[in-house]
Amino acid sequence: MDVSILRQGDYLIASIRSDLTDSEARALRAQLADLVGRTRARGLIVDVAALDVIDSYLARVLRSIALTARLRGAATVIVGIRPEVAIAMVHFRLNLEPLVTVLDLDEAVTLLDTSVREGALDGG
Amino acid sequence: MTDDQRSQMESHDDRQGSGSQAPEMHTSLLHELVGYLRQERSELREQWARRITDAQLLGAMTGQEIFTEVTAVYDNYVTALETGSVESLQAYARDLSERIIPRGVETDEVLGIVLLLRDVLARALVERYRDQPDVLDQVFDAYEPAANRIAVTVGVSFVDERERVIREQQESIRELSTPVLQVRDRLLILPIIGVLDTQRARQLTEQLLAAIQDNRARVVVIDITGVATIDVTVANHLVQTVEAARLMGATAIITGLSSRIAQTLVDLGVDLSMMRTVGDLQGGLEVALALLGEDVVGGVVPPRDPTT
């Protein structure tokens, strides 16, 4: 599984670098759920900038990761969907609702800072 | 017009004119009348130029210019009659069209002058063979098809050239017409003016998303005040653009929907629940600034340096 997980203050940053198989996705979800609790992270940033395709399967995986993380106390933000990926997703009527997507890490941190303080981030 | 159609037309003209006469007879007659037209060159040329001026054709050109072109066309015309090959005339007609189109010369003028020349030459031939009615018939059998063919060639060359110019202009309009402007940090404006067709809508989406990435935009205002109508494909494309921008983390605001477009969209049943629309560009910018300002109010982003 080609995923790096870094810690930055109160937040965890998970960068997915290649497509995930079914079992890898479950393993990633378990690992993140564990880490969120253990590091007492308030936010989880999932970086998908390296991916050429986001299909319905990966969208479901991301959603389930976010829901799990929220139950463990962290809000999730998706980062780095590229233009051609976004066009393809819209074309196939895929969206990541209710997940929040932002452009880059700066944005993600800003958003998390705000929402963690206010205690409100939809669906995260 | 395709080459096929053209050659069909030409052969049609040939059939009309040739009747039952033997082709070799035409050839020799054609040579004779070409010789005659060469001999009378300056007189006929004058006549033609005069009739062009009388008919008030080519008003955009000076008398001198008309005379120069008249000479060149006359010589090419006679050569085309002689050889039966319209290639050099065609090339000349293209070249001529390229020069006169920017000056506003119209199709009817070009066809008009070619038909005038045909007329001038026909009259000259009538004059020449007046005493020999039999020969005159044959002369016309030889002359008319060739003349028709030349008229078609010149007309088609002109129209082809004009279509080429139009295509080029459409291309450059398309390139110019979708600027993505940065108004301030994280805020882009995309003013759309003119006809929004499927191809342009697609191009617009790509440009917008690329600009979002390059400028790290958070809010994009798409202003369609300058768009007169919209169809269901384009409307859905717009919705998809907004959705794709959202996936990249940018909020898109659509402004300037005319009452007509608004009604069309509702009638078409386009799902607009995802679209954020504001009446005009001013209102859209206010909403955009408010969205960007939320961060500052939240105290997370340090207050912006007023000088930047």
Side-chain angles (χ1 to χ4, degrees):
Chain A
M1 179 167 65
D2 198 359
V3 180
S4 66
I5 301 173
L6 304 170
R7 193 173 164 190
Q8 149 73 43
D10 276 344
Y11 310 137
L12 287 175
I13 303 169
S15 299
I16 304 178
R17 304 201 186 283
S18 64
D19 288 340
L20 298 175
T21 66
D22 221 351
S23 57
E24 284 171 349
R26 266 198 305 275
L28 176 63
R29 189 176 70 178
Q31 189 185 1
L32 287 173
D34 175 51
L35 273 175
V36 165
R38 201 137 46 82
T39 61
R40 307 194 67 233
R42 304 294 310 276
L44 171 62
I45 299 169
V46 182
D47 168 20
V48 295
L51 296 181
D52 293 325
V53 175
I54 295 180
D55 55 13
S56 61
Y57 171 70
L58 189 62
R60 206 169 63 236
V61 168
L62 292 175
R63 234 181 257 124
S64 100
I65 286 175
L67 292 175
T68 314
R70 189 173 72 167
L71 293 176
R72 300 276 286 164
T76 301
V77 176
I78 310 293
V79 164
I81 295 178
R82 294 210 308 265
E84 57 274 22
V85 176
I87 291 176
M89 288 177 71
V90 171
H91 193 73
F92 292 112
R93 302 193 181 286
L94 266 184
N95 62 50
L96 295 177
E97 282 171 18
L99 300 195
V100 177
T101 54
V102 298
L103 194 64
D104 54 23
L105 280 181
D106 271 359
E107 286 292 323
V109 170
T110 307
L111 182 68
L112 284 173
D113 284 347
T114 316
S115 53
V116 165
R117 181 168 317 203
E118 291 166 3
L121 190 59
D122 289 348
Chain B
M1 183 186 287
T2 68
D3 286 344
D4 269 1
Q5 286 170 319
R6 206 169 299 156
S7 61
Q8 269 173 15
M9 278 185 71
E10 284 156 7
S11 62
H12 180 65
D13 288 339
D14 285 344
R15 269 202 309 281
Q16 260 189 340
S18 38
S20 57
Q21 306 296 326
E24 57 271 23
M25 214 168 154
H26 284 171
T27 319
S28 65
L29 259 176
L30 211 50
H31 274 297
E32 191 188 323
L33 71 90
V34 163
Y36 174 67
L37 295 178
R38 287 242 163 85
Q39 187 190 321
E40 300 290 317
R41 177 170 179 257
S42 40
E43 166 60 21
L44 293 173
R45 199 175 50 180
E46 292 271 338
Q47 247 183 54
W48 185 30
R50 204 164 47 241
R51 293 205 36 198
I52 290 174
T53 323
D54 289 349
Q56 297 185 327
L57 295 171
L58 301 181
M61 297 165 77
T62 66
Q64 183 59 43
E65 283 174 319
I66 292 180
F67 192 75
T68 315
E69 301 296 356
V70 156
T71 307
V73 175
Y74 186 93
D75 292 342
N76 273 303
Y77 193 101
V78 175
T79 311
L81 276 179
E82 183 181 29
T83 59
S85 153
V86 290
E87 267 168 35
S88 73
L89 181 66
Q90 196 169 23
Y92 181 77
R94 287 246 162 84
D95 180 55
L96 176 65
S97 307
E98 202 171 323
R99 277 181 281 128
I100 61 180
I101 286 170
R103 306 177 59 170
V105 175
E106 297 293 335
T107 316
D108 60 335
E109 291 184 285
V110 170
L111 288 176
I113 63 166
V114 176
L115 293 178
L116 271 182
L117 176 58
R118 188 175 180 279
D119 191 41
V120 166
L121 298 188
R123 278 164 199 272
L125 294 176
V126 171
E127 193 68 30
R128 166 85 166 76
Y129 295 102
R130 183 182 298 245
D131 310 331
Q132 306 152 269
D134 292 352
V135 183
L136 186 60
D137 274 354
Q138 290 171 23
V139 165
F140 269 100
D141 281 347
Y143 170 71
E144 295 270 317
N148 286 344
R149 186 159 170 232
I150 290 170
V152 168
T153 305
V154 173
V156 167
S157 302
F158 182 80
V159 172
D160 278 354
E161 179 61 25
R162 218 157 72 152
E163 281 173 0
R164 194 184 62 77
V165 170
I166 293 172
R167 266 197 305 278
E168 274 180 7
Q169 285 172 345
Q170 273 178 337
E171 197 62 36
S172 46
I173 290 173
R174 195 165 287 146
E175 277 167 20
L176 283 175
S177 58
T178 43
V180 182
L181 312 168
Q182 178 157 26
V183 204
R184 52 164 268 190
D185 204 23
R186 328 307 290 279
L187 175 56
L188 297 178
I189 294 188
L190 186 77
I192 305 175
I193 292 168
V195 181
L196 203 50
D197 56 19
T198 313
Q199 189 196 349
R200 203 174 149 206
R202 188 176 304 133
Q203 185 196 10
L204 191 140
T205 308
E206 283 164 16
Q207 280 186 346
L208 176 65
L209 296 186
I212 287 174
Q213 196 172 40
D214 293 346
N215 298 297
R216 301 185 62 231
R218 274 204 42 203
V219 182
V220 188
V221 180
I222 303 174
D223 181 67
I224 59 168
T225 311
V227 178
T229 57
I230 219 168
D231 66 19
V232 67
T233 322
V234 173
N236 281 323
H237 205 95
L238 213 53
V239 173
Q240 290 182 355
T241 304
V242 171
E243 179 72 13
R246 205 183 59 80
L247 280 171
M248 289 186 61
T251 307
I253 301 170
I254 313 255
T255 66
L257 278 112
S258 66
S259 63
R260 187 163 149 207
I261 290 185
Q263 293 173 64
T264 312
L265 292 183
V266 171
D267 288 344
L268 292 173
V270 178
D271 178 15
L272 300 172
S273 54
M274 294 304 299
M275 290 229 281
R276 196 167 187 150
T277 58
V278 181
D280 56 12
L281 184 57
Q282 184 185 352
L285 282 176
E286 283 164 12
V287 171
L289 291 176
L291 281 174
L292 288 168
E294 275 173 15
D295 293 345
V296 182
V297 175
V300 181
V301 172
R304 206 171 296 279
D305 182 354
T307 58
T308 56

